[in-house]
Amino acid sequence: MRQAEPSFRKALLQKKNMRWAGFFGILVASAVVALIFFQLWVQGRFLPSWISWQECEQTLDLDNNRTTETLALHQRQLKISNNTTLLFQTDTSWFVSDVLVGDINHDNSQEIICLLWKRGSFGKSHPFWIKQDDINFSQHIFIWTMQEGHIQAIWQSSAIDFEIASISLNDKQQVCCTTADGRKSCWAWLSWGLVRIDTEDT
């Protein structure tokens, strides 16, 4: 019986090692799956299915200098170029669902209005009572203008607290929003940004 004890202990040790190996394998597999899901989440793969991702390409004179620029929205990224020179592109961590061009502040120059999704409710600046921005995706409206060949931000909203399915410009150059459930609202530029001026439920 004494001669059998080493074999028994060896078998018991092997069994324990197999259990630990199985546990470690499950742990590694779980970590890999979690990493894959995180990467897909960062890439915006889990954004709401009702989003209508628009694509377009326009040639226009954004700064009235008699030179045309090309504005292209493809694969959820916005790029603005002049001939072969890239003048501007949105951050790769932002996902643009639609873009409009119009003179919303009535300064005789075109503004670029983007409806986009990004992580965080704010940008680099946030209210003093907010200690840390969140990391969840939220909708925003960002507005840029072009001056002397440079694209400049003139207004960037914090997280929008209702779901915008589509945007358009009316004949008054106001931004009209339609929610995922069909509600409509109009927003006008008032010196510092967009302000809600009208609501129409449908």
Side-chain angles (χ1 to χ4, degrees), residues 88-101:
F88 172 82
Q89 65 179 355
T90 49
D91 193 301
T92 55
S93 65
W94 302 349
F95 304 110
V96 181
S97 61
D98 205 354
V99 61
L100 306 173
V101 177

Side-chain angles (χ1 to χ4, degrees), residues 29-175:
S30 299
V32 170
V33 170
L35 179 60
I36 292 173
F37 271 89
F38 176 75
Q39 289 177 336
L40 291 173
W41 176 75
V42 168
Q43 295 170 6
R45 302 300 181 183
F46 301 128
L47 290 173
S49 59
W50 52 260
I51 301 173
S52 177
W53 299 103
Q54 302 297 318
E55 296 208 352
C56 67
E57 185 167 319
Q58 304 178 51
T59 300
L60 32 76
D61 184 0
L62 290 172
D63 55 356
N64 296 324
N65 67 347
R66 299 182 181 180
T67 301
T68 58
E69 291 78 36
T70 299
L71 181 149
L73 174 58
H74 294 301
Q75 297 181 346
R76 306 192 291 182
Q77 295 295 313
L78 176 67
K79 294 182 179 181
I80 300 173
S81 58
N82 184 346
N83 295 324
T84 59
T85 303
L86 180 63
L87 302 175
F88 172 82
Q89 65 179 355
T90 49
D91 193 301
T92 55
S93 65
W94 302 349
F95 304 110
V96 181
S97 61
D98 205 354
V99 61
L100 306 173
V101 177
D103 184 13
I104 62 170
N105 61 1
H106 308 289
D107 65 348
N108 296 318
S109 294
Q110 301 293 309
E111 283 76 51
I112 304 152
I113 306 102
C114 269
L115 179 64
L116 58 86
W117 290 80
K118 64 177 285 292
R119 284 181 291 156
S121 297
F122 306 97
K124 295 180 180 179
S125 302
H126 51 75
F128 69 88
W129 61 86
I130 302 294
K131 294 183 178 180
Q132 185 174 358
D133 201 357
D134 62 80
I135 62 171
N136 295 322
F137 277 100
S138 54
Q139 264 187 316
H140 302 255
I141 292 178
F142 285 3
I143 302 174
W144 293 277
T145 188
M146 185 172 181
Q147 296 181 357
E148 299 180 354
H150 299 285
I151 304 296
Q152 301 176 355
I154 62 172
W155 191 71
Q156 296 180 326
S157 77
S158 56
I160 299 172
D161 59 2
F162 58 97
E163 298 174 337
I164 301 177
S166 65
I167 57 174
S168 61
L169 290 175
N170 62 17
D171 56 358
K172 296 180 180 179
Q173 297 295 286
Q174 298 165 348
V175 179

